[in-house]
Amino acid sequence: MGAGASGLVVQARDAEGRDREAGAGVRDLARGGRIPLDAYYRIGSDTKTFVAVAALQLVAEGRLGLGDTVDEWLPGVVNGNGNDGSRITVRNLLQHTSGLPNYTDILFGDPEELTPENYRAKRFTARTPEQQVALAMSRAPGWLPDPENPGAETRWAYSNTNYVLIGMIIERVTGHPWEQEIHERIIEPLGLRHTLTMGTSAYVPQPTATAYLQFPGRHDLTDTTLQVDGGADGGIVSTTTDMNTFLRALMDGTLLPAEQLEQMRTTVPAPDFSGGAEARYGLGIAWRPVEGCDGGVWYHGGTSFGTVSETAVTPDGDVSVAAAVFTTRFGDPGRAAAQDKATYEMVERAVCRKP
């Protein structure tokens, strides 16, 4: 809490399945209260790992191919300003090697638009996947993958647009919304009774804690608990207990056949991703080396307006940790970096018994 977060919850699960839980800070800065250990929270981009699992299950079933192009499933959707869906495969989308513009960079790219007043005015505004992709298409791509072998692309740049498109492709393949596929393929089989997709709801279930954001140019924290936030790129709410169950089931082979799990864990360098310069990104999940864990850890992480989700799991799925921090800082890079560093260290100590 020395880094300035209002509150956090964390749960670590050991190889025997025993849980250790802790909370710090307060439930609400004005009203106080102990932060609930079973708090619901927005997991942000940790959603991408769920969506990648659903896509890879479809690959295992022979209904979708990692080499399929976007145009094969969504003809004409990725087009304009040099963007070309015939040059981008499902693998490129899952691995962030597509070169596609990130629609959230466009949506939130102007610091003058990132104000408490604009947040309050737009927090109930929902955007369709088609609108999100169209926003991305207003910019030129960072690159186009090699037309002869696009799946071999190793240039990496994080783009939420990639997973909006994966959600659209899942719906085109199955005839069902991506949310339904996540529920039927992951949430229900694993008994994740506290994991849900929010759709256009701006409300997180109780119990939870107040989420706070420091906007650029301000020193105070704004309550950003209410918001319509994300789709297939970041629209899941969960708890630390359910996140640990999901991560372990992923790594121990419960959710994916060996071939698809191997594909998921085939990585490219992602030095700009959270977790450090040695981070590598697979298909919806990342890896980084950590002292005390011979095989490093697999993780993702997610940030939304006011909440940070962090996770880590050993390659065999035996030890895992999930944490939620209820403060984000867009207006103070130094304090944001200190908070991120403290969170990573907490997670790594729990999983790898770092000194």
Side-chain angles (χ1 to χ4, degrees), residues 207-262:
T208 188
T210 302
Y212 293 100
L213 175 63
Q214 180 184 357
F215 283 93
R218 299 178 65 103
H219 298 289
D220 60 327
L221 295 175
T222 299
D223 178 346
T224 51
T225 306
L226 291 182
Q227 57 182 302
V228 175
D229 185 31
D233 57 325
I236 290 178
V237 165
S238 191
T239 64
T240 56
T241 296
D242 276 10
M243 288 301 293
N244 275 307
T245 299
F246 167 67
L247 289 166
R248 293 158 76 92
L250 176 57
M251 287 296 126
D252 71 14
T254 297
L255 288 173
L256 289 174
E259 181 180 350
Q260 279 68 47
L261 184 56
E262 181 181 358

Short mmCIF file of all heavy atoms in Angstrom, two decimals, residues 207-262:
data_model
loop_
_atom_site.label_atom_id
_atom_site.label_comp_id
_atom_site.label_asym_id
_atom_site.label_seq_id
_atom_site.Cartn_x
_atom_site.Cartn_y
_atom_site.Cartn_z
N PRO A 207 -19.96 -8.52 -3.26
CA PRO A 207 -19.13 -7.46 -2.69
C PRO A 207 -18.03 -7.03 -3.65
O PRO A 207 -17.52 -7.83 -4.44
CB PRO A 207 -18.53 -8.13 -1.45
CG PRO A 207 -18.40 -9.57 -1.85
CD PRO A 207 -19.60 -9.86 -2.70
N THR A 208 -17.69 -5.77 -3.57
CA THR A 208 -16.57 -5.24 -4.33
C THR A 208 -15.98 -4.09 -3.53
O THR A 208 -16.36 -3.86 -2.38
CB THR A 208 -17.01 -4.80 -5.74
OG1 THR A 208 -15.84 -4.47 -6.51
CG2 THR A 208 -17.96 -3.62 -5.71
N ALA A 209 -15.04 -3.39 -4.13
CA ALA A 209 -14.46 -2.19 -3.52
C ALA A 209 -14.53 -1.07 -4.54
O ALA A 209 -14.63 -1.30 -5.74
CB ALA A 209 -13.03 -2.44 -3.08
N THR A 210 -14.49 0.14 -4.06
CA THR A 210 -14.53 1.30 -4.95
C THR A 210 -13.25 1.35 -5.78
O THR A 210 -12.15 1.19 -5.27
CB THR A 210 -14.67 2.59 -4.14
OG1 THR A 210 -15.85 2.51 -3.34
CG2 THR A 210 -14.76 3.81 -5.05
N ALA A 211 -13.43 1.55 -7.09
CA ALA A 211 -12.30 1.70 -8.00
C ALA A 211 -11.99 3.18 -8.18
O ALA A 211 -12.91 4.01 -8.29
CB ALA A 211 -12.63 1.06 -9.35
N TYR A 212 -10.70 3.50 -8.22
CA TYR A 212 -10.28 4.90 -8.32
C TYR A 212 -9.27 5.09 -9.45
O TYR A 212 -8.42 4.21 -9.70
CB TYR A 212 -9.62 5.36 -7.02
CG TYR A 212 -10.57 5.42 -5.84
CD1 TYR A 212 -10.60 4.39 -4.91
CD2 TYR A 212 -11.43 6.50 -5.66
CE1 TYR A 212 -11.46 4.43 -3.82
CE2 TYR A 212 -12.30 6.56 -4.58
CZ TYR A 212 -12.31 5.53 -3.66
OH TYR A 212 -13.17 5.57 -2.59
N LEU A 213 -9.37 6.23 -10.10
CA LEU A 213 -8.45 6.59 -11.18
C LEU A 213 -7.90 7.99 -10.94
O LEU A 213 -8.66 8.92 -10.63
CB LEU A 213 -9.16 6.53 -12.53
CG LEU A 213 -8.38 6.99 -13.76
CD1 LEU A 213 -7.17 6.08 -13.99
CD2 LEU A 213 -9.26 6.99 -15.00
N GLN A 214 -6.60 8.14 -11.11
CA GLN A 214 -5.98 9.46 -11.12
C GLN A 214 -5.86 9.90 -12.58
O GLN A 214 -5.12 9.30 -13.36
CB GLN A 214 -4.59 9.43 -10.48
CG GLN A 214 -3.91 10.79 -10.46
CD GLN A 214 -2.49 10.75 -9.92
OE1 GLN A 214 -2.01 9.70 -9.50
NE2 GLN A 214 -1.81 11.89 -9.95
N PHE A 215 -6.62 10.90 -12.95
CA PHE A 215 -6.62 11.38 -14.32
C PHE A 215 -5.38 12.26 -14.58
O PHE A 215 -4.82 12.85 -13.65
CB PHE A 215 -7.89 12.17 -14.61
CG PHE A 215 -9.10 11.30 -14.84
CD1 PHE A 215 -9.94 10.97 -13.79
CD2 PHE A 215 -9.38 10.81 -16.10
CE1 PHE A 215 -11.05 10.16 -13.99
CE2 PHE A 215 -10.48 10.01 -16.33
CZ PHE A 215 -11.31 9.68 -15.27
N PRO A 216 -4.96 12.37 -15.84
CA PRO A 216 -3.80 13.21 -16.17
C PRO A 216 -4.01 14.65 -15.71
O PRO A 216 -5.12 15.20 -15.82
CB PRO A 216 -3.74 13.13 -17.70
CG PRO A 216 -4.39 11.85 -18.05
CD PRO A 216 -5.47 11.66 -17.03
N GLY A 217 -2.97 15.23 -15.16
CA GLY A 217 -3.02 16.62 -14.73
C GLY A 217 -3.69 16.85 -13.40
O GLY A 217 -3.89 18.00 -13.00
N ARG A 218 -4.06 15.78 -12.70
CA ARG A 218 -4.74 15.92 -11.41
C ARG A 218 -3.99 15.10 -10.35
O ARG A 218 -3.31 14.13 -10.67
CB ARG A 218 -6.19 15.44 -11.51
CG ARG A 218 -7.04 16.23 -12.51
CD ARG A 218 -8.44 15.65 -12.58
NE ARG A 218 -9.15 15.82 -11.32
CZ ARG A 218 -10.08 16.73 -11.10
NH1 ARG A 218 -10.41 17.59 -12.04
NH2 ARG A 218 -10.72 16.81 -9.93
N HIS A 219 -4.17 15.50 -9.11
CA HIS A 219 -3.54 14.78 -8.00
C HIS A 219 -4.55 13.95 -7.22
O HIS A 219 -4.18 13.02 -6.50
CB HIS A 219 -2.85 15.77 -7.05
CG HIS A 219 -1.74 16.54 -7.70
ND1 HIS A 219 -0.54 15.96 -8.07
CD2 HIS A 219 -1.66 17.85 -8.06
CE1 HIS A 219 0.23 16.87 -8.63
NE2 HIS A 219 -0.42 18.03 -8.64
N ASP A 220 -5.83 14.27 -7.37
CA ASP A 220 -6.85 13.55 -6.62
C ASP A 220 -7.26 12.28 -7.35
O ASP A 220 -6.93 12.06 -8.52
CB ASP A 220 -8.08 14.45 -6.39
CG ASP A 220 -8.70 14.91 -7.70
OD1 ASP A 220 -7.95 15.12 -8.68
OD2 ASP A 220 -9.93 15.05 -7.76
N LEU A 221 -8.00 11.41 -6.64
CA LEU A 221 -8.52 10.18 -7.22
C LEU A 221 -10.01 10.32 -7.46
O LEU A 221 -10.74 10.85 -6.62
CB LEU A 221 -8.27 9.00 -6.28
CG LEU A 221 -6.80 8.64 -6.02
CD1 LEU A 221 -6.70 7.52 -4.98
CD2 LEU A 221 -6.10 8.23 -7.31
N THR A 222 -10.48 9.85 -8.62
CA THR A 222 -11.88 9.88 -8.99
C THR A 222 -12.47 8.49 -8.90
O THR A 222 -11.87 7.52 -9.37
CB THR A 222 -12.04 10.42 -10.43
OG1 THR A 222 -11.51 11.74 -10.51
CG2 THR A 222 -13.51 10.43 -10.85
N ASP A 223 -13.65 8.39 -8.30
CA ASP A 223 -14.36 7.12 -8.24
C ASP A 223 -14.82 6.74 -9.65
O ASP A 223 -15.63 7.42 -10.26
CB ASP A 223 -15.57 7.28 -7.30
CG ASP A 223 -16.43 6.03 -7.18
OD1 ASP A 223 -16.28 5.10 -8.00
OD2 ASP A 223 -17.28 5.98 -6.27
N THR A 224 -14.26 5.65 -10.18
CA THR A 224 -14.60 5.19 -11.54
C THR A 224 -15.21 3.78 -11.50
O THR A 224 -15.02 2.99 -12.41
CB THR A 224 -13.35 5.20 -12.44
OG1 THR A 224 -12.28 4.48 -11.78
CG2 THR A 224 -12.90 6.61 -12.74
N THR A 225 -15.93 3.50 -10.43
CA THR A 225 -16.51 2.16 -10.27
C THR A 225 -17.54 1.86 -11.35
O THR A 225 -17.63 0.73 -11.83
CB THR A 225 -17.15 2.04 -8.88
OG1 THR A 225 -16.18 2.39 -7.88
CG2 THR A 225 -17.64 0.63 -8.62
N LEU A 226 -18.32 2.85 -11.74
CA LEU A 226 -19.36 2.64 -12.75
C LEU A 226 -18.82 2.93 -14.14
O LEU A 226 -18.34 4.03 -14.41
CB LEU A 226 -20.56 3.56 -12.48
CG LEU A 226 -21.41 3.28 -11.25
CD1 LEU A 226 -22.55 4.26 -11.18
CD2 LEU A 226 -21.93 1.86 -11.26
N GLN A 227 -18.91 1.93 -15.04
CA GLN A 227 -18.48 2.14 -16.41
C GLN A 227 -18.86 0.93 -17.25
O GLN A 227 -18.86 -0.20 -16.77
CB GLN A 227 -16.96 2.33 -16.48
CG GLN A 227 -16.19 1.16 -15.89
CD GLN A 227 -14.69 1.38 -15.92
OE1 GLN A 227 -14.12 1.60 -16.97
NE2 GLN A 227 -14.08 1.33 -14.75
N VAL A 228 -19.21 1.18 -18.49
CA VAL A 228 -19.32 0.11 -19.47
C VAL A 228 -17.93 -0.11 -20.01
O VAL A 228 -17.31 0.82 -20.53
CB VAL A 228 -20.29 0.49 -20.61
CG1 VAL A 228 -20.29 -0.58 -21.69
CG2 VAL A 228 -21.68 0.70 -20.05
N ASP A 229 -17.42 -1.32 -19.88
CA ASP A 229 -15.98 -1.51 -20.10
C ASP A 229 -15.68 -2.80 -20.83
O ASP A 229 -15.74 -3.88 -20.25
CB ASP A 229 -15.26 -1.51 -18.74
CG ASP A 229 -13.75 -1.58 -18.90
OD1 ASP A 229 -13.24 -1.05 -19.91
OD2 ASP A 229 -13.09 -2.16 -18.04
N GLY A 230 -15.40 -2.69 -22.12
CA GLY A 230 -14.80 -3.78 -22.84
C GLY A 230 -15.75 -4.87 -23.30
O GLY A 230 -16.86 -5.03 -22.80
N GLY A 231 -15.28 -5.62 -24.28
CA GLY A 231 -15.98 -6.79 -24.79
C GLY A 231 -15.05 -7.97 -24.73
O GLY A 231 -14.51 -8.30 -23.67
N ALA A 232 -14.80 -8.60 -25.87
CA ALA A 232 -13.90 -9.75 -25.91
C ALA A 232 -12.46 -9.36 -25.59
O ALA A 232 -11.62 -10.22 -25.33
CB ALA A 232 -13.97 -10.42 -27.28
N ASP A 233 -12.17 -8.07 -25.60
CA ASP A 233 -10.83 -7.60 -25.25
C ASP A 233 -10.69 -7.29 -23.77
O ASP A 233 -9.59 -7.07 -23.28
CB ASP A 233 -10.47 -6.35 -26.05
CG ASP A 233 -11.47 -5.21 -25.86
OD1 ASP A 233 -12.67 -5.50 -25.71
OD2 ASP A 233 -11.06 -4.04 -25.88
N GLY A 234 -11.83 -7.27 -23.00
CA GLY A 234 -11.66 -6.93 -21.59
C GLY A 234 -12.94 -6.86 -20.79
O GLY A 234 -13.02 -6.06 -19.86
N GLY A 235 -13.94 -7.69 -21.09
CA GLY A 235 -15.25 -7.50 -20.51
C GLY A 235 -15.68 -8.48 -19.43
O GLY A 235 -16.87 -8.61 -19.16
N ILE A 236 -14.72 -9.17 -18.79
CA ILE A 236 -15.08 -10.17 -17.77
C ILE A 236 -14.85 -9.61 -16.37
O ILE A 236 -13.90 -8.86 -16.12
CB ILE A 236 -14.28 -11.48 -17.97
CG1 ILE A 236 -14.77 -12.19 -19.23
CG2 ILE A 236 -14.39 -12.41 -16.77
CD1 ILE A 236 -14.02 -13.48 -19.55
N VAL A 237 -15.74 -9.98 -15.45
CA VAL A 237 -15.59 -9.71 -14.02
C VAL A 237 -15.39 -11.04 -13.31
O VAL A 237 -16.02 -12.04 -13.66
CB VAL A 237 -16.84 -8.99 -13.47
CG1 VAL A 237 -16.88 -9.03 -11.95
CG2 VAL A 237 -16.87 -7.55 -13.97
N SER A 238 -14.49 -11.09 -12.32
CA SER A 238 -14.22 -12.34 -11.63
C SER A 238 -13.77 -12.06 -10.21
O SER A 238 -13.90 -10.94 -9.70
CB SER A 238 -13.17 -13.16 -12.40
OG SER A 238 -13.06 -14.47 -11.90
N THR A 239 -13.24 -13.09 -9.56
CA THR A 239 -12.67 -13.01 -8.21
C THR A 239 -11.32 -13.70 -8.21
O THR A 239 -10.99 -14.45 -9.13
CB THR A 239 -13.58 -13.71 -7.19
OG1 THR A 239 -13.64 -15.12 -7.51
CG2 THR A 239 -14.99 -13.13 -7.19
N THR A 240 -10.54 -13.48 -7.17
CA THR A 240 -9.23 -14.12 -7.11
C THR A 240 -9.36 -15.64 -7.05
O THR A 240 -8.54 -16.36 -7.65
CB THR A 240 -8.43 -13.62 -5.89
OG1 THR A 240 -9.19 -13.84 -4.70
CG2 THR A 240 -8.09 -12.15 -6.02
N THR A 241 -10.37 -16.16 -6.37
CA THR A 241 -10.56 -17.61 -6.29
C THR A 241 -10.81 -18.19 -7.67
O THR A 241 -10.17 -19.19 -8.07
CB THR A 241 -11.75 -17.95 -5.36
OG1 THR A 241 -11.44 -17.52 -4.05
CG2 THR A 241 -12.01 -19.44 -5.34
N ASP A 242 -11.71 -17.60 -8.42
CA ASP A 242 -12.01 -18.13 -9.75
C ASP A 242 -10.83 -17.97 -10.71
O ASP A 242 -10.58 -18.84 -11.55
CB ASP A 242 -13.24 -17.41 -10.33
CG ASP A 242 -14.55 -18.03 -9.87
OD1 ASP A 242 -14.52 -18.89 -8.96
OD2 ASP A 242 -15.61 -17.65 -10.41
N MET A 243 -10.09 -16.89 -10.59
CA MET A 243 -8.94 -16.69 -11.47
C MET A 243 -7.87 -17.75 -11.22
O MET A 243 -7.26 -18.27 -12.16
CB MET A 243 -8.36 -15.29 -11.30
CG MET A 243 -9.24 -14.19 -11.88
SD MET A 243 -9.54 -14.38 -13.66
CE MET A 243 -7.89 -14.08 -14.32
N ASN A 244 -7.64 -18.09 -9.97
CA ASN A 244 -6.68 -19.16 -9.68
C ASN A 244 -7.15 -20.49 -10.26
O ASN A 244 -6.36 -21.25 -10.84
CB ASN A 244 -6.48 -19.30 -8.17
CG ASN A 244 -5.44 -18.34 -7.63
OD1 ASN A 244 -4.31 -18.29 -8.13
ND2 ASN A 244 -5.78 -17.57 -6.62
N THR A 245 -8.43 -20.79 -10.12
CA THR A 245 -8.97 -22.04 -10.67
C THR A 245 -8.79 -22.08 -12.19
O THR A 245 -8.39 -23.11 -12.76
CB THR A 245 -10.45 -22.18 -10.31
OG1 THR A 245 -10.57 -22.21 -8.88
CG2 THR A 245 -11.05 -23.44 -10.89
N PHE A 246 -9.09 -20.98 -12.85
CA PHE A 246 -8.95 -20.92 -14.31
C PHE A 246 -7.51 -21.11 -14.76
O PHE A 246 -7.22 -21.93 -15.65
CB PHE A 246 -9.48 -19.57 -14.81
CG PHE A 246 -9.12 -19.26 -16.23
CD1 PHE A 246 -9.63 -20.00 -17.27
CD2 PHE A 246 -8.25 -18.21 -16.53
CE1 PHE A 246 -9.30 -19.72 -18.60
CE2 PHE A 246 -7.90 -17.92 -17.84
CZ PHE A 246 -8.43 -18.68 -18.88
N LEU A 247 -6.59 -20.40 -14.16
CA LEU A 247 -5.19 -20.47 -14.59
C LEU A 247 -4.61 -21.86 -14.41
O LEU A 247 -3.88 -22.37 -15.27
CB LEU A 247 -4.36 -19.46 -13.80
CG LEU A 247 -4.60 -17.99 -14.16
CD1 LEU A 247 -3.99 -17.09 -13.11
CD2 LEU A 247 -4.05 -17.67 -15.54
N ARG A 248 -4.93 -22.51 -13.31
CA ARG A 248 -4.40 -23.84 -13.06
C ARG A 248 -4.99 -24.86 -14.03
O ARG A 248 -4.29 -25.74 -14.52
CB ARG A 248 -4.67 -24.22 -11.60
CG ARG A 248 -3.88 -23.34 -10.62
CD ARG A 248 -4.52 -23.33 -9.26
NE ARG A 248 -4.26 -24.55 -8.53
CZ ARG A 248 -3.25 -24.76 -7.70
NH1 ARG A 248 -2.35 -23.79 -7.52
NH2 ARG A 248 -3.09 -25.89 -7.06
N ALA A 249 -6.29 -24.72 -14.32
CA ALA A 249 -6.92 -25.63 -15.28
C ALA A 249 -6.36 -25.43 -16.68
O ALA A 249 -6.29 -26.38 -17.48
CB ALA A 249 -8.43 -25.41 -15.28
N LEU A 250 -5.94 -24.23 -16.99
CA LEU A 250 -5.32 -23.97 -18.29
C LEU A 250 -3.95 -24.64 -18.37
O LEU A 250 -3.65 -25.37 -19.32
CB LEU A 250 -5.19 -22.47 -18.50
CG LEU A 250 -4.46 -22.02 -19.77
CD1 LEU A 250 -5.11 -22.59 -21.02
CD2 LEU A 250 -4.39 -20.50 -19.84
N MET A 251 -3.12 -24.43 -17.37
CA MET A 251 -1.76 -24.93 -17.44
C MET A 251 -1.67 -26.45 -17.24
O MET A 251 -0.74 -27.09 -17.74
CB MET A 251 -0.89 -24.23 -16.38
CG MET A 251 -0.55 -22.80 -16.73
SD MET A 251 0.46 -22.67 -18.22
CE MET A 251 -0.51 -21.54 -19.20
N ASP A 252 -2.62 -27.06 -16.54
CA ASP A 252 -2.52 -28.52 -16.33
C ASP A 252 -3.19 -29.32 -17.43
O ASP A 252 -3.27 -30.55 -17.36
CB ASP A 252 -3.07 -28.92 -14.95
CG ASP A 252 -4.59 -28.80 -14.81
OD1 ASP A 252 -5.29 -28.66 -15.83
OD2 ASP A 252 -5.08 -28.87 -13.66
N GLY A 253 -3.68 -28.64 -18.47
CA GLY A 253 -4.24 -29.35 -19.62
C GLY A 253 -5.71 -29.66 -19.54
O GLY A 253 -6.25 -30.33 -20.42
N THR A 254 -6.39 -29.16 -18.52
CA THR A 254 -7.83 -29.41 -18.40
C THR A 254 -8.61 -28.74 -19.52
O THR A 254 -9.57 -29.32 -20.05
CB THR A 254 -8.35 -28.91 -17.04
OG1 THR A 254 -7.70 -29.63 -15.99
CG2 THR A 254 -9.86 -29.09 -16.91
N LEU A 255 -8.21 -27.55 -19.92
CA LEU A 255 -8.99 -26.76 -20.87
C LEU A 255 -8.60 -26.97 -22.32
O LEU A 255 -9.42 -26.77 -23.22
CB LEU A 255 -8.88 -25.27 -20.53
CG LEU A 255 -9.62 -24.82 -19.27
CD1 LEU A 255 -9.29 -23.36 -18.96
CD2 LEU A 255 -11.13 -24.99 -19.44
N LEU A 256 -7.35 -27.35 -22.58
CA LEU A 256 -6.88 -27.47 -23.95
C LEU A 256 -6.13 -28.78 -24.16
O LEU A 256 -5.37 -29.21 -23.29
CB LEU A 256 -5.95 -26.31 -24.30
CG LEU A 256 -6.57 -24.91 -24.47
CD1 LEU A 256 -5.47 -23.88 -24.68
CD2 LEU A 256 -7.56 -24.88 -25.63
N PRO A 257 -6.29 -29.39 -25.33
CA PRO A 257 -5.43 -30.53 -25.68
C PRO A 257 -3.98 -30.10 -25.75
O PRO A 257 -3.67 -28.90 -25.91
CB PRO A 257 -5.96 -30.94 -27.06
CG PRO A 257 -7.33 -30.36 -27.17
CD PRO A 257 -7.29 -29.10 -26.36
N ALA A 258 -3.07 -31.06 -25.65
CA ALA A 258 -1.64 -30.75 -25.59
C ALA A 258 -1.18 -29.93 -26.79
O ALA A 258 -0.37 -29.01 -26.65
CB ALA A 258 -0.84 -32.05 -25.49
N GLU A 259 -1.67 -30.24 -27.98
CA GLU A 259 -1.22 -29.53 -29.18
C GLU A 259 -1.59 -28.06 -29.12
O GLU A 259 -0.77 -27.18 -29.45
CB GLU A 259 -1.84 -30.17 -30.43
CG GLU A 259 -1.40 -29.49 -31.72
CD GLU A 259 -2.01 -30.13 -32.96
OE1 GLU A 259 -2.62 -31.22 -32.84
OE2 GLU A 259 -1.90 -29.53 -34.04
N GLN A 260 -2.81 -27.77 -28.70
CA GLN A 260 -3.24 -26.36 -28.64
C GLN A 260 -2.58 -25.63 -27.48
O GLN A 260 -2.27 -24.44 -27.60
CB GLN A 260 -4.77 -26.28 -28.55
CG GLN A 260 -5.46 -26.43 -29.90
CD GLN A 260 -5.31 -27.82 -30.49
OE1 GLN A 260 -5.52 -28.81 -29.78
NE2 GLN A 260 -4.96 -27.91 -31.76
N LEU A 261 -2.34 -26.31 -26.37
CA LEU A 261 -1.64 -25.67 -25.26
C LEU A 261 -0.21 -25.34 -25.68
O LEU A 261 0.32 -24.27 -25.33
CB LEU A 261 -1.65 -26.57 -24.03
CG LEU A 261 -1.02 -25.99 -22.76
CD1 LEU A 261 -1.66 -24.66 -22.37
CD2 LEU A 261 -1.13 -26.99 -21.60
N GLU A 262 0.41 -26.22 -26.45
CA GLU A 262 1.76 -25.93 -26.95
C GLU A 262 1.75 -24.72 -27.87
O GLU A 262 2.64 -23.86 -27.80
CB GLU A 262 2.31 -27.15 -27.68
CG GLU A 262 3.73 -26.94 -28.21
CD GLU A 262 4.27 -28.14 -28.96
OE1 GLU A 262 3.57 -29.17 -29.04
OE2 GLU A 262 5.41 -28.05 -29.46
#
